Amino acid sequence: MKILVIEDNESVASMIEMFFAKENIKGVFVTDGLEGYHRAIHEEWDCLIIDWMLPNMDGVTICRKIRQENNSVPIIMLTAKDSESDQVLGLEMGADDYVTKPFSPLALMARIKAVTRRYHPIKDQKTEADMIETTHFKINKNTREVFLDGAPITNLTPKEFDLLFHFVQHPRQVFSREQLLEKVWGYQFYGDDRTVDVHIKRLRNKIDNEDQSFFQTVWGVGYKFEEGSNAQT
């Protein structure tokens, strides 16, 4: 696994670097935001770990610009900001997850495994479940292609794709935020249910239109996916 870490705090970078060595992860460390952005878009990576506050280009801007390039590489934000608005902003700009400083290497590794697990399909393992075709959607899990009414949807992040695939697999089934974190993100619920809310919001913005809303809020419970619904709730 090859991971780009854009972090200007030497002690944090050193801790991550030592842990990567134990896990046999190839880590490339950059301290400058602008340099990190250029390396992120011009080289192949399995995951990006980006600090919020960086010289020359902040982490949120890097994340936003990467997503504007339709680059779907998994992104984890590192932030010392613990307010809800700051965390939501990072997710809205396209981050797949975030870790609040101070953090343990094990917690970061759990997030890395979660965001990268479904990003790279396993070769030579194809099942009927890897292809889903519904009234409006055609989704290929192996190639990570999504077609809505025959038109390709090419701007989904890895976790947006995983979340959509999970919902389309289970139409009309209601899932709590805790269940979605465990099933889609792959880790036990740590209290960050805003992660789910922001990803649902982004999916709605990308696939819903005036005539069709696919994600329904079930108040007090969670969300469900339903085709044929014409009003967002």
Side-chain angles (χ1 to χ4, degrees):
M1 186 180 296
K2 183 182 177 185
I3 298 178
L4 175 65
V5 180
I6 311 175
E7 167 63 76
D8 64 336
N9 186 302
E10 184 177 346
S11 61
V12 173
S14 296
M15 177 189 69
I16 296 174
E17 186 174 15
M18 286 188 293
F19 191 74
F20 279 7
K22 294 180 181 179
E23 296 289 324
N24 293 318
I25 294 174
K26 181 180 180 181
V28 176
F29 293 81
V30 176
T31 59
D32 181 81
L34 185 59
E35 178 187 355
Y37 166 68
H38 286 298
R39 295 202 64 171
I41 63 172
H42 290 121
E43 300 177 42
E44 294 291 329
W45 307 98
D46 294 300
C47 182
L48 306 179
I49 298 175
I50 305 175
D51 187 32
W52 185 288
M53 300 298 292
L54 293 164
N56 295 319
M57 184 181 290
D58 64 80
V60 173
T61 301
I62 294 172
C63 188
R64 174 178 55 80
K65 290 173 70 68
I66 288 172
R67 294 308 187 214
Q68 287 175 343
E69 297 276 344
N70 285 332
N71 188 328
S72 61
V73 62
I75 297 175
I76 297 174
M77 295 287 296
L78 300 181
T79 175
K81 297 173 178 288
D82 57 3
S83 73
E84 179 176 343
S85 59
D86 288 328
Q87 293 164 351
V88 169
L89 176 61
L91 293 169
E92 287 184 337
M93 291 300 101
D96 295 286
D97 209 340
Y98 62 87
V99 177
T100 303
K101 298 177 182 177
F103 58 87
S104 74
L106 290 176
L108 177 60
M109 195 65 217
R111 294 300 205 269
I112 292 171
K113 290 179 178 178
V115 300
T116 60
R117 185 173 56 184
R118 293 185 180 90
Y119 180 62
H120 300 287
I122 299 174
K123 295 181 179 180
D124 301 325
Q125 291 186 11
K126 296 182 180 180
T127 66
E128 291 183 2
D130 292 332
M131 283 289 299
I132 299 179
E133 199 160 349
T134 69
T135 302
H136 294 282
F137 287 91
K138 183 177 181 181
I139 305 177
N140 187 317
K141 185 177 182 181
N142 289 314
T143 62
R144 304 186 74 82
E145 293 176 303
V146 177
F147 294 88
L148 173 58
D149 294 327
I153 305 296
T154 60
N155 60 344
L156 299 184
T157 68
K159 275 294 167 277
E160 289 168 1
F161 178 93
D162 295 339
L163 189 61
L164 176 62
F165 191 86
H166 177 77
F167 271 113
V168 176
Q169 277 186 309
H170 304 91
R172 297 181 297 280
Q173 183 172 340
V174 180
F175 292 95
S176 68
R177 293 165 178 82
E178 294 92 336
Q179 288 173 319
L180 291 169
L181 280 171
E182 183 176 352
K183 293 178 181 296
V184 178
W185 274 258
Y187 53 81
Q188 294 295 323
F189 179 56
Y190 293 139
D192 297 332
D193 57 3
R194 294 180 299 272
T195 299
V196 174
D197 294 336
V198 172
H199 280 74
I200 292 288
K201 178 182 177 181
R202 291 195 334 220
L203 276 173
R204 282 173 167 166
N205 290 337
K206 291 179 179 181
I207 68 176
D208 285 356
N209 55 53
E210 294 180 356
D211 301 318
Q212 183 77 51
S213 177
F214 298 103
F215 293 96
Q216 308 302 313
T217 302
V218 181
W219 295 107
V221 184
Y223 299 99
K224 68 176 180 177
F225 173 88
E226 187 170 2
E227 295 187 78
S229 176
N230 57 14
Q232 182 172 306
T233 58

